Amino acid sequence: MEFMTGVKEKETLELSELLEEGRLGEEVKVNGAVHTIRDMGTVAFVILRKREGLVQCVYEEGVTKFNLKDLREAATVEVTGKLTESEKAPNGIEIRLSEIKVLSMPKDSLPLAVSKWKLNTSLEAKLNYRSISLRNVRERAKFKIQEGIVRGFREFLYKEGFTEIHTPKIGAKGAEGGSNLFRLDYFHRPAVLEQSPQLYKQMMVGVFDRVFETGPVFRAEKHNTKRHLNEYTSLDFEMGYIDSFEDIMAMETGFLQYTMELLKKDYAKELKILDVTLPDVSKIPAIRFDEAKQKVSEKYGRKIRNPFDLEPEEEHLIGQYAKEEWDSDFVFVTYYPSKKRPFYAMDDPQDEKFTLSFDLLFRGLEITTGGQRIHDYDMLMEKLAKRGMTEEGLETYLDTFKHGMPPHGGLGIGMERLTMQLLGEDNVRETTLFPRDLSRLTP
Amino acid sequence: MEFMTGVKEKETLELSELLEEGRLGEEVKVNGAVHTIRDMGTVAFVILRKREGLVQCVYEEGVTKFNLKDLREAATVEVTGKLTESEKAPNGIEIRLSEIKVLSMPKDSLPLAVSKWKLNTSLEAKLNYRSISLRNVRERAKFKIQEGIVRGFREFLYKEGFTEIHTPKIGAKGAEGGSNLFRLDYFHRPAVLEQSPQLYKQMMVGVFDRVFETGPVFRAEKHNTKRHLNEYTSLDFEMGYIDSFEDIMAMETGFLQYTMELLKKDYAKELKILDVTLPDVSKIPAIRFDEAKQKVSEKYGRKIRNPFDLEPEEEHLIGQYAKEEWDSDFVFVTYYPSKKRPFYAMDDPQDEKFTLSFDLLFRGLEITTGGQRIHDYDMLMEKLAKRGMTEEGLETYLDTFKHGMPPHGGLGIGMERLTMQLLGEDNVRETTLFPRDLSRLTP
């Protein structure tokens, strides 16, 4: 019997500890994966990959008590040596090795040259060898930045009085309805995977006023494009006591402002690795859907084919328009047509063909859909009837509105898409850890 | 066209703002849901429910410009009035109403008396009317504390150098294997819902050294007990470069210490509402599986029926033993039998019938399973073969180990169970927002 008393002190040092003042000249112990070995004869440079970055180690024949032939790339090791200054090494330091202890040896050579600065391979190969390709420092950095986005979302919303919730992903009915549902057998009852936490977060507005969730959503869409996934992480919030749907856009703007600052502060290293310039989010223009279509048609000579829908190319042009006219990478497009929005969307009392809703475009791609929801029971039942929908599977959701709900609205942000646009990638799979699409179910 | 420039300043005040120094005597505007109305004739107390707590408002006939008959419980309102001191009111303040503006009116009366201090109804009713029952201040507080637990988990692990990941929930093969899998059709291919992010987080240890995820997991178990759910939120982490599996237990102890401090600091209000005393986690005893069985058998006169399994009653007794012997609510039970652990568990080199693994019991209930994993490719293939398992669906996972993986291990914590034990609830559904079990698929 023994007692656990908290995190164990480690003898081995992390990169940030090596960089602490006063460490130079010390004998240090460091572990890591062998990223690359540059053998110069009697001297060799062994670069270790650690979570915070690369560490250069210098092997010297006769000095380092180890036979270099027994080391290979992708081995994991614990090394001991003297920490010294080195202008040319990453972070300006290197370790002059006295000892190398091998923790594990690879069985095969790597299928990808992960130690290259740019991983020069196809997207297919990157995804097929996901656990290897992400060992590349640039590939890995994308997902650190993605962490920062999600962290920013949560930290900002906590600060704004939101409560985090965890809603079920297996349900009886999808929030958006339609055919884009994955179906499964739930102990001999038909069930679906939720397309969105929509109905749950609305119900929780009556409890916590403001709620958010970061979790997976599932869409059985048969699209096979560069911007669609069949499973993605949705950053959702819903807030009560709004004066108008502008409150929601204002909150999203606040989230973006907070998150860009957080990235600048805590993810500067990764931004530099990927050479990312953060967009200015001090003010984001908002333009009506119909007006945006009109403006784009006029400026770029594109005919309006369907006044009630935005084609991907039109979205792209609205992005271009926002950049040219207001020097903004983001633009809110407001008052979407009712027929393109789900039953719970609040119609504009001024013109019921449109809704009190919006999309946020980032460099011409939709990354958010949001808006005000119907909070009146009778209005909700009317809308359901008009759409020919039944109450089945929605009973508790609908009942909630019989018992008093504040005016409210919210949004959902596609985490992978936001990351993709921020990093200037051209395929959402580049910023998805393990994508699920029409053809991809593994790894 | 207009610009969004960030979060909008609100005229209405939240409870913490009302309690700011210097506010007394001010004319204030507040919104909220009508929690209860106590009509005393010419005067009435209208209690508003807000996200931070209750606010007492005083209605006076002739003074308040509103007909009290037009107000009902569960209405949402925006009120104006003078903020005054009131010893007997919640938080020592009340608002003397001049105006009431109704934002929404309920259609029906509430099915549950949510304004009672203790919601005196069955678990079944609470779950059937989930969006209503959680409006009860005590019911709601449980999920604020749950938020604190998850927040503590993430904050602590960020601090310890872990990277947050988001892994897919639809996959080709379950991590634990067996029959407890929900199956679905994925574009005409057989797929499953993941029982755990296990295989993904291990693969990511080779990339980020330390990773964590908080997300849903799915178990098609046919148990219908007070402690089982078919979908729950798992708090998972995995860490590389460990010296032994004790590093993992030490990290979990650190998480518990951090989280108890966070709850004390930021969730004191909810702890008080639920009258929760936080457990002492300064040191947590660890005892071997076989020794624990022996000790419990001796002390409580219980015969050992199966030396390789723990029955729920034995778990309970080990909890009791830890409390009596070491005054601890927690106890790590170590070296679980190999046959009860999945293929990836590292066997104890001293005795291969046991593994380098552990469970953490909290007041006699398992809330965590963890341990060291096999990091050697050959050892992993050997174990698979011994279990008669095929490589199908595990290709990328297995390949990862050909290319160098550090010694590593991790754990999964059941969020709802940890909350349940912390709050002293006797059914895990009490601390699950929308439980999924054998009979419950809605709401």
Side-chain angles (χ1 to χ4, degrees):
Chain A
M1 218 285 302
E2 53 173 339
F3 285 101
M4 296 293 135
T5 55
V7 182
K8 285 201 182 168
E9 278 292 321
K10 287 274 173 194
E11 272 195 303
T12 52
L13 299 177
E14 294 305 316
L15 179 52
S16 50
E17 291 169 308
L18 294 173
L19 296 172
E20 282 166 4
E21 236 172 290
R23 285 268 187 219
L24 286 173
E26 267 184 32
E27 180 92 344
V28 294
K29 201 173 257 189
V30 169
N31 57 35
V34 177
H35 199 51
T36 178
I37 303 172
R38 206 145 36 97
D39 193 348
M40 326 279 280
T42 55
V43 169
F45 293 100
V46 178
I47 310 291
L48 296 188
R49 187 182 64 247
K50 296 180 62 59
R51 59 176 184 258
E52 297 177 320
L54 302 176
V55 177
Q56 177 164 304
C57 303
V58 185
Y59 173 94
E60 272 182 280
E61 216 176 86
V63 175
T64 314
K65 289 174 220 133
F66 190 86
N67 188 343
L68 191 66
K69 289 188 178 57
D70 293 338
L71 200 62
R72 295 226 317 263
E73 283 182 12
T76 66
V77 296
E78 183 180 291
V79 304
T80 311
K82 195 174 156 189
L83 185 68
T84 53
E85 221 165 352
S86 167
E87 257 183 55
K88 286 180 187 167
N91 305 298
I93 53 162
E94 65 184 17
I95 298 169
R96 303 200 155 259
L97 297 173
S98 50
E99 281 173 62
I100 300 178
K101 188 175 123 195
V102 171
L103 300 174
S104 71
M105 278 299 274
K107 201 177 165 63
D108 272 0
S109 55
L110 287 166
L112 302 171
V114 295
S115 62
K116 288 252 169 75
W117 180 241
K118 284 198 186 183
L119 190 61
N120 194 10
T121 189
S122 68
L123 175 60
E124 278 304 291
K126 277 197 228 172
L127 298 179
N128 288 339
Y129 298 105
R130 205 47 160 157
S131 53
I132 306 301
S133 62
L134 292 177
R135 295 183 188 180
N136 174 268
V137 170
R138 295 183 83 251
E139 294 296 319
R140 179 172 83 167
K142 296 179 191 174
F143 293 92
K144 274 312 270 191
I145 290 174
Q146 185 165 81
E147 169 186 272
I149 290 172
V150 179
R151 193 173 176 173
F153 184 75
R154 295 198 196 102
E155 284 184 9
F156 172 72
L157 293 178
Y158 284 139
K159 195 170 64 67
E160 292 294 327
F162 285 72
T163 296
E164 182 177 12
I165 56 173
H166 305 271
T167 69
K169 305 309 160 200
I170 302 179
K173 192 158 183 167
E176 318 288 319
S179 57
N180 296 330
L181 286 160
F182 287 109
R183 292 169 195 285
L184 72 154
D185 175 82
Y186 189 81
F187 303 116
H188 309 301
R189 294 161 71 182
V192 301
L193 292 182
E194 293 291 352
Q195 295 160 310
S196 141
Q198 184 61 35
L199 309 182
Y200 294 104
K201 60 180 182 158
Q202 280 189 263
M203 288 194 270
M204 288 304 104
V205 161
V207 173
F208 296 107
D209 296 358
R210 297 177 163 193
V211 295
F212 77 87
E213 179 163 16
T214 58
V217 297
F218 307 89
R219 310 261 167 130
E221 291 177 347
K222 288 193 181 119
H223 297 303
N224 211 352
T225 78
K226 290 183 172 186
R227 58 187 199 285
H228 282 94
L229 293 165
N230 293 105
E231 175 179 348
Y232 68 89
T233 299
S234 185
L235 310 180
D236 270 277
F237 76 65
E238 199 77 14
M239 55 193 278
Y241 301 98
I242 59 172
D243 295 315
S244 86
F245 75 97
E246 288 189 5
D247 288 2
I248 306 154
M249 296 193 285
M251 192 62 74
E252 180 164 28
T253 305
F255 148 64
L256 289 169
Q257 291 166 348
Y258 181 90
T259 299
M260 296 308 151
E261 284 307 309
L262 178 70
L263 290 176
K264 211 181 287 176
K265 187 166 66 73
D266 287 358
Y267 297 82
K269 195 170 55 193
E270 286 78 15
L271 294 172
K272 197 173 159 224
I273 287 172
L274 294 172
D275 199 16
V276 172
T277 309
L278 294 174
D280 176 10
V281 286
S282 58
K283 58 187 210 299
I284 299 180
I287 183 170
R288 283 185 65 101
F289 176 91
D290 46 11
E291 197 186 330
K293 274 185 92 86
Q294 192 59 42
K295 294 274 189 203
V296 156
S297 166
E298 283 164 15
K299 181 159 186 180
Y300 305 107
R302 199 178 183 285
K303 228 176 131 179
I304 295 174
R305 280 190 282 198
N306 182 347
F308 295 112
D309 204 359
L310 270 193
E311 295 170 62
E313 202 198 317
E314 265 176 311
E315 248 178 40
H316 181 78
L317 288 175
I318 294 173
Q320 190 180 327
Y321 186 87
K323 188 71 189 173
E324 290 171 6
E325 298 290 320
W326 307 300
D327 194 26
S328 179
D329 288 321
F330 289 88
V331 55
F332 285 109
V333 179
T334 58
Y335 296 95
Y336 267 67
S338 298
K339 59 165 71 171
K340 301 301 288 181
R341 292 303 212 207
F343 73 93
Y344 51 76
M346 175 83 94
D347 289 335
D348 181 6
Q350 313 277 314
D351 182 351
E352 296 205 345
K353 287 194 302 300
F354 297 93
T355 52
L356 302 177
S357 76
F358 65 93
D359 273 12
L360 177 62
L361 310 186
F362 181 16
R363 297 176 179 150
L365 181 73
E366 179 247 304
I367 57 155
T368 295
T369 294
Q372 185 164 353
R373 329 298 189 181
I374 299 172
H375 62 273
D376 179 79
Y377 179 76
D378 292 331
M379 196 187 283
L380 198 52
M381 294 306 287
E382 214 173 280
K383 191 92 174 263
L384 269 186
K386 224 158 68 181
R387 301 222 164 179
M389 289 173 68
T390 70
E391 296 172 42
E392 204 198 321
L394 295 174
E395 294 84 353
T396 309
Y397 172 76
L398 294 171
D399 269 0
T400 307
F401 294 87
K402 281 189 193 162
H403 303 300
M405 280 287 278
H408 66 283
L411 56 74
I413 301 171
M415 175 190 76
E416 295 85 350
R417 275 196 185 184
L418 173 49
T419 316
M420 166 193 179
Q421 292 304 85
L422 186 70
L423 304 187
E425 294 289 345
D426 86 323
N427 192 316
V428 70
R429 290 161 188 78
E430 293 279 1
T431 53
T432 308
L433 208 55
F434 293 96
R436 292 290 174 259
D437 62 27
L438 274 178
S439 56
R440 193 170 282 281
L441 179 59
T442 57
Chain B
M1 218 284 301
E2 54 174 337
F3 286 99
M4 295 293 135
T5 54
V7 182
K8 285 201 182 168
E9 278 292 320
K10 287 274 170 193
E11 272 196 303
T12 51
L13 299 177
E14 294 306 317
L15 179 52
S16 50
E17 292 169 310
L18 293 174
L19 295 173
E20 281 165 5
E21 236 171 290
R23 284 270 187 218
L24 286 173
E26 268 184 31
E27 181 91 344
V28 294
K29 200 173 259 191
V30 170
N31 57 34
V34 176
H35 199 52
T36 178
I37 303 171
R38 205 142 39 94
D39 192 348
M40 328 279 280
T42 55
V43 168
F45 293 100
V46 177
I47 310 291
L48 295 188
R49 186 182 65 248
K50 297 180 62 58
R51 58 177 184 256
E52 298 178 319
L54 302 176
V55 177
Q56 177 164 303
C57 303
V58 186
Y59 173 94
E60 273 182 279
E61 217 175 84
V63 175
T64 314
K65 289 174 221 133
F66 191 85
N67 187 342
L68 192 65
K69 288 186 178 59
D70 294 337
L71 200 63
R72 295 226 316 264
E73 283 182 11
T76 65
V77 295
E78 183 180 292
V79 303
T80 312
K82 196 175 156 189
L83 185 68
T84 53
E85 221 165 353
S86 167
E87 256 182 55
K88 285 181 188 167
N91 304 299
I93 53 161
E94 65 184 18
I95 298 168
R96 303 200 154 260
L97 298 173
S98 51
E99 282 173 63
I100 300 177
K101 187 174 123 194
V102 171
L103 301 175
S104 71
M105 278 299 274
K107 201 177 166 64
D108 272 2
S109 55
L110 288 166
L112 302 170
V114 294
S115 64
K116 289 253 170 74
W117 180 240
K118 284 197 185 184
L119 190 60
N120 195 9
T121 186
S122 68
L123 175 60
E124 277 304 291
K126 277 197 229 173
L127 298 179
N128 289 339
Y129 298 106
R130 206 47 159 157
S131 55
I132 306 302
S133 62
L134 291 178
R135 296 183 187 179
N136 174 268
V137 170
R138 294 183 84 253
E139 294 297 320
R140 179 172 82 167
K142 295 179 193 174
F143 293 93
K144 274 312 269 191
I145 290 174
Q146 185 164 82
E147 168 187 273
I149 290 171
V150 180
R151 193 173 176 173
F153 184 75
R154 294 199 198 102
E155 285 184 8
F156 172 72
L157 293 179
Y158 284 138
K159 195 169 65 66
E160 293 293 329
F162 285 72
T163 295
E164 182 177 13
I165 56 173
H166 304 271
T167 69
K169 305 310 160 200
I170 302 180
K173 191 158 183 168
E176 317 289 319
S179 57
N180 296 330
L181 287 160
F182 287 111
R183 291 169 194 285
L184 73 152
D185 177 82
Y186 188 82
F187 302 117
H188 309 301
R189 293 160 71 182
V192 301
L193 292 182
E194 294 291 352
Q195 295 160 312
S196 139
Q198 183 61 35
L199 309 183
Y200 295 103
K201 60 180 182 157
Q202 279 188 262
M203 288 192 271
M204 288 304 106
V205 161
V207 173
F208 297 107
D209 297 357
R210 297 177 163 193
V211 295
F212 77 88
E213 179 162 16
T214 58
V217 298
F218 307 90
R219 309 261 167 130
E221 293 176 346
K222 288 193 181 119
H223 296 305
N224 211 353
T225 77
K226 290 183 172 186
R227 58 186 199 287
H228 282 94
L229 294 165
N230 295 104
E231 176 180 349
Y232 67 89
T233 299
S234 185
L235 310 180
D236 270 277
F237 75 65
E238 200 76 14
M239 56 194 278
Y241 300 98
I242 59 173
D243 295 315
S244 85
F245 76 98
E246 288 190 4
D247 287 1
I248 306 155
M249 297 193 286
M251 192 62 73
E252 180 164 28
T253 305
F255 149 64
L256 288 169
Q257 290 167 348
Y258 181 90
T259 299
M260 295 309 152
E261 284 307 309
L262 179 70
L263 290 176
K264 211 181 286 176
K265 186 165 67 74
D266 287 358
Y267 297 82
K269 194 169 59 195
E270 285 78 15
L271 294 172
K272 197 173 159 221
I273 286 172
L274 294 172
D275 199 15
V276 172
T277 308
L278 294 174
D280 175 10
V281 286
S282 57
K283 59 186 209 302
I284 299 180
I287 183 170
R288 283 185 66 101
F289 177 91
D290 47 11
E291 196 186 330
K293 275 185 91 84
Q294 193 59 41
K295 295 274 190 204
V296 155
S297 165
E298 284 164 14
K299 180 160 186 180
Y300 305 109
R302 197 177 184 284
K303 227 175 134 181
I304 296 175
R305 279 191 282 196
N306 182 347
F308 294 112
D309 205 359
L310 270 192
E311 295 170 63
E313 202 198 316
E314 265 176 312
E315 247 177 41
H316 182 78
L317 288 175
I318 294 173
Q320 190 181 326
Y321 186 87
K323 189 70 189 170
E324 290 172 6
E325 299 290 320
W326 307 300
D327 194 26
S328 178
D329 289 320
F330 289 88
V331 56
F332 285 108
V333 180
T334 58
Y335 295 95
Y336 267 67
S338 298
K339 59 166 73 172
K340 300 303 287 181
R341 293 303 212 210
F343 72 93
Y344 51 77
M346 175 84 94
D347 289 334
D348 181 6
Q350 313 276 313
D351 181 352
E352 294 205 345
K353 288 193 301 299
F354 296 94
T355 52
L356 301 177
S357 76
F358 65 93
D359 273 12
L360 178 61
L361 310 187
F362 181 16
R363 294 173 182 151
L365 181 72
E366 179 248 304
I367 58 155
T368 295
T369 294
Q372 185 165 351
R373 330 297 188 181
I374 299 173
H375 61 274
D376 179 79
Y377 179 76
D378 292 331
M379 196 188 283
L380 198 52
M381 295 305 287
E382 214 173 281
K383 191 94 172 261
L384 269 186
K386 224 158 69 181
R387 301 220 164 180
M389 288 175 69
T390 71
E391 296 174 41
E392 204 199 322
L394 295 174
E395 293 85 354
T396 308
Y397 172 76
L398 294 171
D399 269 359
T400 307
F401 294 87
K402 282 188 192 162
H403 304 299
M405 280 286 279
H408 66 282
L411 56 74
I413 302 170
M415 176 191 75
E416 296 84 351
R417 276 196 184 183
L418 173 50
T419 317
M420 166 192 179
Q421 292 303 87
L422 187 70
L423 303 186
E425 293 290 344
D426 86 323
N427 193 316
V428 70
R429 291 161 187 78
E430 293 279 2
T431 53
T432 308
L433 207 57
F434 293 96
R436 293 291 174 260
D437 62 27
L438 274 178
S439 55
R440 191 168 284 280
L441 180 58
T442 58

